Amino acid sequence: MDVPVLDPATATTVAGGIPTPRSDDPTWWRSAVIYQLYIRSFADGNGDGTGDIAGVRQHLGYLKELGVDALWFTPWFASPLADGGYDVSDYRRIHPAFGELAEAETLIREALELGIRTIIDVVPNHVSSEHEWFRAALTAGPGSPERERFWFHPGVGPNGDGMPTHWVSNFQGETWTRTTNPDGTPGEWYLHLFTPEQPDLNWNHPDVRREHEDVLRFWFDRGVAGVRIDSAALLVKDPALPEVTGLEGAGEHPNTDRDEVHDVYRSWRAVADEYPGTRVLVGEVWMPDPVRFTNYLRPDEMHTAFNFDFMGRPWSAGELRESIDSMLAAHAPVGAPSTWVLSNHDVTRPVTRYGRADSSFSFADKRFGIPTDLELGTRRARAAALLTAALPGSLYLYQGDELGLPEVEDLPATARQDPMHFRSNGVDPGRDGCRVPLPWAGDEPPFGFAPQGSSPWLPQPADWGRYSVAVESADPGSMLSLYRSAIAIRRDLEGDESFAWLESAEGVLCFARGAGFVSVTNLGTVPIDLPEHETVLLSSHELVDGRLAPDSTAWLKTRA
Ligand code: NOJ
């Protein structure tokens, strides 16, 4: 090891005696507020139009003031950015546009000095086609040990021109690409559940397992407090490569949620547990069955995983209540807290989604031109922010949601970058619209995201000045002010994971947390009376004659 181990729990000593909130709390992750930082679009410190570590360091005070416990950085490693960095070519290097390793180390330390932990994003299912392993595999040719780290396979038929399976990519289209032999003849095929630039690794290979454990240690040694695990259910494939029939039993799908994948996370947990403090494993697990989902959270596996069930639900009291109940019930037997997630860098921004006639989210339904009422959507997103922040568990906040940014639906065609858009032949708008650089200040692009005169990598709408941090900081009624207050008040709920529904009218979600705290959300169409209380701690919308208007949440202090 070439760096001293940095322990997030004792960062006070390492960083020079600055007190850090909850620094010695091994259960910090159970109720943490985690800010998802999409580094390309957060802040550009060097004026090249791309966000970077320098930009994050300039704005650590903003994150501290917001009150978050941890930052989850979407991949910041060396990458050709064929899929926004989820195509990693070298885990031990930072992408040059984002900075250098030494800067990342400084950032991790500076954030810890402010009591903010760092979570990085690892992408174990695949690497970039520019990764040295894949390049070596291509050069070494069929039958070589280098190819065994991936899924190379001869094609079907006399000329080998049929692909080995007809599995459908998570980004639509095919999952196999044919290689060309060094002599120019058509060669084997290789598997990629995403783009051809993201070849899938073979998790039956010991090198693959060893390498990822080394990568975890590399970053834990640098003080990282956890990892977000990309596409966590996809790693293990059935080596017989059968077709998908749709009739598979649980654990028998050829490439998703196979039972053997849990061994991987048991070994990762063992690595995390070697370190002082709690280094957390957070899974990106898209799994409709709540029990198959929480299997990943058994005590010797991951700590938490994203609750996408809640995120996908429409703005409906019945739907949200059902999701809360099923998620809390599924988590209870494994002892893991639930997470609450309203969005991320892959999905439509909440203020846009909640303003639509169908406010549910599913990748399959993403289309251009779906009408939305942004005023309604914003009002509901504010109510949803308080609803989720009041629930027991950890809270994820995707950068820009604290400003109430809408999805940018009219990006010029030439600006779009997302392979999901291109692989759908332009039918799916893709994910660029939720990745547009943040507005910090000023009346015109780049709104303080980058030095004046630079062009952000994705263009910002001309009217985004009104969402800027400067404007919203000065407005007590802004989304930013709401989030700041909510996160501060939420602190009082830490350490108590109790939750109980209270009786309420139809269309209302009302529950008690801890001693003397009640959250009430009105998803109905008429104002409602508040339950008995001592004071209103916070509300997402002004109360009218003491009543809670539709599409609003209020937090109440009640007699304990
Ligand atoms: C999930 C990530 O969130 C997404 O952005 C990425 O494209 C896929 N995994 C593939 O790595």
Side-chain angles (χ1 to χ4, degrees), residues 161-220:
D161 50 13
M163 63 188 79
T165 70
H166 294 88
W167 298 352
V168 177
S169 164
N170 285 26
F171 285 172
Q172 303 192 34
E174 293 158 359
T175 50
W176 294 90
T177 291
R178 195 165 193 186
T179 60
T180 305
N181 290 322
D183 65 4
T185 56
E188 290 184 320
W189 298 71
Y190 69 90
L191 175 70
H192 49 86
L193 293 185
F194 295 91
T195 71
E197 292 80 20
Q198 294 165 292
D200 277 48
L201 288 164
N202 173 7
W203 274 85
N204 300 325
H205 197 296
D207 285 1
V208 172
R209 294 187 181 233
R210 204 176 310 117
E211 166 65 3
H212 281 81
E213 289 176 19
D214 281 0
V215 166
L216 294 182
R217 289 198 176 90
F218 180 89
W219 286 101
F220 287 153

Side-chain angles (χ1 to χ4, degrees), residues 72 83 86-87 121 123 126 171 194 198 228 230-231 284 286 344-346 418-420 431 435:
W72 148 33
D83 179 22
Y86 285 93
D87 48 319
D121 206 323
V123 191
H126 42 267
F171 285 172
F194 295 91
Q198 294 165 292
R228 177 264 189 193
D230 187 70
S231 305
E284 190 216 13
W286 291 88
N344 63 32
H345 64 295
D346 293 330
D418 184 10
M420 268 188 128
R431 302 164 295 176
R435 300 175 176 180

